[in-house]
């Protein structure tokens, strides 16, 4: 767990230090990122079904979007 | 002219809905093909828990009209049927326990050492939502949406909106999202009085003083940064804030009071009014949740995709949680195979008690024995398979297993020999078709 948090912190710090302007691609280099599979939520229906299950079985919800909600299941 | 356009729209919608419902019934019938300008995403979920607990069947259909690359209108319909038994919160005991049904009409018995489950749990839910998103100009975009959901004892209405700002040739996107919702709870038998003894039947005066319904309101805000790292990597950081206020208690959950007086019944159910004492639970009337979310998607040289995410959530009920989700997509020509692992852990709410003690149960302000507010670890292992017939036409199926482990105070005396934290397993099956 601690290792993961450190990894996330390291990535965040490196992005902050290098400055976001050094990151990214030119418009003509977007071929791979433009693939539907590379969307952060590539399967919205499947994600919403998962969110709904986890919302009704656990105390946390959301994070990625609003997640869960709208039912008497929790 | 306007009328013609409108009729055309209605025809398109009718066509899409009929095609979509066919797809839901017939599965992957190749004859199903909707109007070119609409994308349809449909899926069916089957969810089943071990030991005769909850099972659910949930069809979903979503249709998106794409006006151009960034302008979209979406409609989504979800139906949900639930059956099975749900833990009522009481502890297992050394004798047969009798519980009043939520309606007050009749009762049910639970055998000695058995987990007390309320087997009347049955519900059907219909949810409708719509969303519109469009650019404002080259650098800004917005979205607005509405939501409506209804089941026999619960209604929810909501609106949401989002605003996005693109920076650095769209390599960075800042997004602010807001969601407001108002929920109404009309429990079977009325709203029970919190922290009072569960009455014997609906003839009891506790029932006559109940109100029919309660409500709660929710405000969610999400602030997110999406950053393109390089040609193969995209990353997102979100900070989300969620406040809820109003009736946050579960009207169907109770909590056992255990006898902590030295003697023959030490650790047994405490008696009041000549029967075992169970109190209706009570939660605070507000909750503030905050979460930090990080996600990265990386495409390897061989075109496989790694999707990793981590969420840290904490709230003012004393709960904090960690969630790690990892997916790896092996990509073949037209097919893909995606194993998934998810791990979740949470710490208990300040007012979570597996049971209350006879010597001090009147002193508590709030109490809940809902295992979902206790110390909990869950694991999901899944495998997804997808086949792409053509561009944007895809069938996929996923099977996953979900395991929950609770832990906490083991009790004393007679109670110590009971299993207070049974684990739960569930199987989930999803089949989806996009066209």
């Amino acid at each position: 767990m601690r290792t993961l948090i450190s990894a996330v912190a390291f990535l965040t710090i490196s992005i902050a230090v290098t400055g976001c302007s050094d990151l990214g691609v030119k418009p003509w280099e977007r071929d791979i990122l433009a693939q539907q599979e590379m969307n952060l939520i590539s399967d919205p229906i499947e994600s919403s079904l998962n969110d709904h299950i986890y919302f009704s079985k656990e105390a946390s919800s959301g994070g990625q979007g609003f997640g869960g909600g709208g039912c008497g299941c929790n | 002219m306007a009328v013609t356009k409108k009729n055309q729209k209605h025809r398109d919608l009718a066509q899409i809905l009929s095609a979509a419902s066919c797809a839901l019934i017939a599965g992957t019938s190749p004859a199903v093909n909707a109007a070119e300008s609409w994308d349809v995403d449909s899926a069916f979920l089957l969810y089943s828990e071990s030991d005769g607990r909850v099972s659910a069947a949930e069809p979903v259909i979503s249709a998106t009209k794409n006006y151009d690359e960034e302008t979209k209108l979406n409609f989504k319909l979800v139906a949900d049927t639930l059956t099975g038994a749900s833990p009522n919160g009481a502890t297992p005991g050394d004798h047969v326990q009798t519980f009043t049904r939520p309606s007050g009409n009749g009762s049910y018995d639970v055998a000695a050492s058995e987990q007390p489950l309320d087997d009347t749990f049955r519900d059907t839910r219909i949810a409708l939502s719509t969303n519109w998103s469009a650019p404002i100009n080259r650098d800004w975009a917005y979205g607005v949406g509405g939501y409506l959901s209804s089941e026999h004892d619960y209604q929810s209405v909501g609106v949401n909106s989002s605003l996005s700002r693109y920076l650095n040739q769209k390599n960075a996107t800042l997004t602010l999202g807001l969601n407001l919702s108002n929920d109404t709870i009309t429990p079977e038998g009325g709203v029970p009085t919190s922290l009072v003894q569960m009455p014997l039947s609906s003839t009891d005066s506790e029932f006559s003083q109940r109100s029919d319904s309660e409500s709660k309101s929710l405000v969610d805000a999400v602030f997110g940064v999406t950053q393109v790292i390089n040609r193969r990597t995209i990353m997102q950081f979100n900070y989300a804030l969620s406040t809820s206020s109003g009736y946050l208690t579960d009207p169907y959950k109770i909590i056992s009071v255990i006898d902590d007086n030295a003697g023959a019944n030490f650790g047994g159910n405490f008696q009041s009014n000549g029967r075992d004492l169970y109190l209706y639970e009570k939660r605070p009337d507000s909750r503030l949740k905050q979460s930090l979310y990080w996600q990265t998607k990386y495409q390897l040289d061989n075109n496989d995709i790694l999707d990793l995410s981590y969420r840290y959530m904490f709230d003012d009920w004393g709960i904090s949680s960690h969630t790690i989700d990892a997916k790896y997509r092996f990509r073949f020509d037209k097919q893909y195979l995606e194993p998934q692992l998810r791990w979740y852990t949470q710490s208990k709410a300040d007012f979570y008690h597996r049971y209350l003690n006879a010597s001090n149960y009147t002193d508590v302000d709030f109490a809940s024995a809902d295992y979902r507010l206790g110390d909990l670890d869950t694991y999901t292992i899944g495998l997804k398979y997808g086949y792409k017939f053509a561009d944007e036409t895809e069938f996929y199926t996923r099977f996953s297993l979900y395991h929950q482990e609770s832990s906490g105070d083991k009790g004393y005396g007679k109670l110590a020999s009971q299993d207070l934290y049974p684990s739960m397993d569930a199987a989930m099956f999803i089949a989806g078709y996009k066209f």
Side-chain angles (χ1 to χ4, degrees):
Chain A
M1 191 65 245
R2 202 157 280 165
T3 330
L4 188 92
I5 294 171
S6 332
V8 173
F10 173 74
L11 278 167
T12 316
I13 292 162
S14 39
I15 290 167
V17 169
T18 53
C20 288
S21 57
D22 289 344
L23 295 169
V25 295
K26 297 296 176 199
W28 58 87
E29 294 173 322
R30 285 193 172 259
D31 50 338
I32 292 170
L33 295 169
Q35 292 169 11
Q36 191 262 331
E37 290 91 337
M38 285 300 283
N39 282 340
L40 287 165
I41 302 179
S42 51
D43 290 297
I45 296 284
E46 192 194 342
S47 299
S48 69
L49 288 170
N50 286 336
D51 282 349
H52 187 53
I53 291 168
Y54 298 134
F55 170 78
S56 65
K57 295 280 139 196
E58 298 167 357
S60 311
S61 62
Q64 191 173 26
F66 298 120
C71 79
C73 53
N74 194 344
Chain B
M1 189 63 196
V3 174
T4 326
K5 252 191 186 165
K6 209 174 168 190
N7 284 342
Q8 180 61 43
K9 257 188 198 165
H10 284 175
R11 255 204 305 279
D12 283 353
L13 190 66
Q15 212 175 346
I16 209 72
L17 286 175
S18 62
S21 44
C22 287
L24 276 181
I25 296 157
T28 61
S29 160
V32 176
N33 204 348
E36 300 273 305
S37 52
W38 286 87
D39 284 338
V40 175
D41 202 342
S42 61
F44 188 80
L45 163 76
L46 280 175
Y47 171 90
S48 180
E49 291 178 0
S50 52
D51 305 326
R53 284 174 57 176
V54 178
S55 54
E58 189 167 337
V60 188
I61 182 151
S62 154
T64 307
K65 170 115 178 168
N66 298 292
Y67 293 90
D68 62 48
E69 213 166 287
E70 286 177 280
T71 313
K72 295 171 203 291
L73 176 65
N74 172 267
F75 295 99
K76 190 170 135 189
L77 175 68
V78 183
D80 210 342
T81 54
L82 288 165
T83 50
S86 182
N88 65 11
T91 53
D94 62 345
H95 58 280
V96 174
Q97 299 188 78
T98 303
F99 301 99
T100 311
R101 294 210 181 271
S103 63
N105 303 322
S107 60
Y108 58 98
D109 288 340
V110 171
S113 300
E114 286 286 317
Q115 181 71 5
L117 300 174
D118 178 357
D119 58 2
T120 50
F121 185 56
R122 208 154 273 112
D123 224 331
T124 307
R125 185 177 71 113
I126 297 281
L128 265 170
S129 61
T130 180
N131 220 288
W132 166 260
S133 56
I136 298 170
N137 58 31
R138 222 169 51 110
D139 294 330
W140 294 85
Y142 76 102
V144 284
Y147 170 91
L148 193 73
S149 148
S150 180
E151 52 202 287
H152 90 280
D153 58 355
Y154 203 92
Q155 275 76 42
S156 175
V157 284
V159 287
N160 55 69
S161 62
S162 68
L163 188 66
S164 296
R165 168 82 161 103
Y166 303 116
L167 298 164
N168 184 25
Q169 294 185 315
K170 288 199 176 176
N171 279 304
T173 308
L174 308 180
T175 303
L176 181 67
L178 272 177
N179 178 64
L180 308 173
S181 92
N182 191 68
D183 297 7
T184 309
I185 305 118
T186 44
E188 195 69 41
V191 180
T193 317
S194 294
L195 298 178
V196 304
Q197 182 168 21
M198 178 186 223
L200 269 177
S201 76
S202 56
T203 54
D204 192 283
S205 64
E206 194 277 325
F207 268 88
S208 54
Q209 68 195 32
R210 290 181 175 190
S211 61
D212 290 339
S213 71
E214 284 284 357
S215 66
K216 67 177 172 196
S217 52
L218 289 98
V219 180
D220 298 278
V222 180
F223 176 70
V225 183
T226 307
Q227 175 69 47
V228 171
I229 307 295
N230 57 39
R231 238 180 114 224
R232 298 187 168 274
T233 319
I234 184 160
M235 198 178 277
Q236 185 177 49
F237 293 94
N238 285 343
Y239 167 70
L241 194 71
S242 173
T243 65
S244 38
S245 57
Y247 186 77
L248 305 178
T249 296
D250 187 325
Y252 302 126
K253 294 273 190 269
I254 55 173
I255 182 164
S256 297
V257 179
I258 302 299
D259 195 346
D260 57 350
N261 295 308
N265 194 40
F266 185 65
N269 287 74
F270 179 69
Q271 301 271 309
S272 173
N273 297 321
R275 57 185 200 274
D276 291 344
L277 177 60
Y278 310 108
L279 308 179
Y280 287 110
E281 68 148 58
K282 185 181 187 183
R283 305 181 189 188
D285 58 6
S286 75
R287 184 181 183 188
L288 174 70
K289 294 195 285 180
Q290 297 181 72
S291 66
L292 293 165
Y293 176 81
W294 166 86
Q295 185 189 2
T296 290
K297 251 183 162 172
Y298 171 65
Q299 189 162 145
L300 285 76
D301 288 334
N302 63 4
N303 293 336
D304 288 354
I305 296 173
L306 177 67
D307 183 350
L308 265 182
S309 71
Y310 167 72
R311 175 184 64 185
Y312 174 61
M313 197 279 323
F314 58 102
D315 69 8
D316 60 355
W317 282 4
I319 298 171
S320 67
S321 76
H322 302 278
T323 313
I324 295 174
D325 200 343
K327 292 173 189 146
Y328 188 89
R329 186 176 287 204
F330 295 95
R331 291 168 84 192
F332 309 103
D333 189 20
K334 286 184 165 179
Q335 307 170 80
Y336 64 85
L337 204 58
E338 187 179 274
Q340 184 216 352
L341 277 174
R342 179 183 184 271
W343 174 71
Y344 171 84
T345 185
Q346 77 180 39
S347 62
K348 69 183 178 73
D350 300 334
F351 55 89
Y352 171 84
H353 302 281
R354 184 66 191 87
Y355 55 87
L356 292 174
N357 294 315
S359 59
N360 60 1
Y361 74 90
T362 50
D363 300 337
V364 297
D365 294 322
F366 305 105
S368 172
D370 189 341
Y371 73 93
R372 297 172 298 182
L373 300 175
D375 288 306
L376 183 68
D377 292 281
T378 83
Y379 307 87
T380 310
I381 177 164
L383 185 65
K384 183 179 174 184
Y385 166 78
Y387 187 92
K388 289 173 191 278
F389 296 94
D391 215 23
E392 294 177 10
T393 304
E394 179 185 334
F395 169 78
Y396 65 88
T397 177
R398 196 186 89 181
F399 183 75
S400 38
L401 293 169
Y402 179 61
H403 178 75
Q404 282 191 330
E405 287 277 346
S406 296
S407 58
D409 182 344
K410 298 274 187 289
Y412 50 82
K414 286 179 176 183
L415 191 61
S417 59
Q418 301 295 338
D419 182 7
L420 299 180
Y421 305 96
S423 61
M424 190 276 284
D425 287 291
M428 300 175 228
F429 173 78
I430 297 179
Y433 188 55
K434 302 181 205 178
F435 56 93

